[in-house]
């Protein structure tokens, strides 16, 4: 067996890799950094050059990623706490006031369509909502409303 060293990855191949990843779905800068530098072993300089070029072409935009992520996860019945936690781990500050105003209705919609299976309906509903990332005050309000409508 002959050992063949891998070809040196250049800025253009890092940029090509960013383009292929972004074509699949929206990505943020930190997610691309983790993928290219930590997993695929591009150098930091190659990544910085490629990400600068991608931002110049508006292929990577953290604000657009945050808007997309918020909309997507909110439609999947995720709460603001979980969404905010993910975005802050990606280094993105986002305005969640838009979904916080609709969060109580979305939580109620979720608990009605996904009824708790436990014998203790109150605590089962509460656990279900908190595990989906809804703040505890909203989870308590929605659970009380759900229990009142059952009786």
């Amino acid at each position: 067996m002959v050992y063949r060293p891998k070809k040196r990855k250049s800025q253009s191949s890092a940029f090509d890799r960013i383009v292929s990843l972004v074509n699949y779905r929206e990505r943020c800068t930190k997610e691309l950094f983790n993928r290219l530098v930590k997993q695929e072993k591009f150098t930091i300089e190659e990544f910085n050059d490629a990400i600068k070029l991608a931002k110049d072409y508006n292929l990577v935009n953290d604000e657009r990623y945050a808007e997309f992520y918020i909309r997507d996860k909110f439609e999947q019945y995720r709460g603001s706490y979980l969404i905010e936690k993910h975005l802050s781990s990606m280094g993105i500050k986002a305005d969640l006031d838009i979904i916080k105003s609709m969060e109580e209705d979305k939580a109620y919609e979720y608990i009605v369509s996904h009824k708790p299976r436990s014998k203790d309906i109150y605590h089962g509903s509460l656990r279900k909502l908190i595990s989906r990332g809804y703040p505890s005050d909203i989870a308590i309000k929605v659970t009380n409303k759900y229990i009142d409508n059952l009786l």
Side-chain angles (χ1 to χ4, degrees), residues 7 15 17 19 27 30 43 53 61 67 75 79 91 110 115 119 133 147-148:
K7 292 180 182 176
F15 179 74
R17 189 66 183 126
V19 169
R27 306 211 186 237
K30 184 166 183 181
T43 66
L53 191 59
N61 185 331
E67 290 173 14
E75 287 301 315
Y110 174 75
K115 295 176 176 40
K119 291 180 182 178
I147 296 296
D148 291 344

Side-chain angles (χ1 to χ4, degrees), residues 76-80 82 110 127-134:
Q76 294 177 7
Y77 301 104
R78 302 285 188 212
S80 61
L82 211 64
Y110 174 75
R127 270 193 310 275
K128 197 166 237 191
L129 290 172
I130 289 174
S131 70
R132 298 295 286 191
Y134 290 100

Side-chain angles (χ1 to χ4, degrees), residues 4 23 39 53 57-58 63 65 72 85 95 99 102 108 113 122-123 127 134 137 142 147:
R4 293 184 186 159
N23 280 335
Q39 291 179 6
L53 191 59
Y57 285 117
N58 202 25
E63 291 174 8
Y65 171 81
D72 184 47
K85 184 177 176 185
D95 183 22
I99 66 166
M102 302 180 290
Y108 185 76
S113 62
Y122 180 82
H123 289 102
R127 270 193 310 275
Y134 290 100
D137 60 331
V142 169
I147 296 296

Side-chain angles (χ1 to χ4, degrees), residues 74 97-108 134:
F74 188 68
D97 292 338
I98 298 165
I99 66 166
K100 285 186 179 185
S101 63
M102 302 180 290
E103 193 168 27
E104 193 172 323
D105 295 333
K106 197 70 169 176
Y108 185 76
Y134 290 100

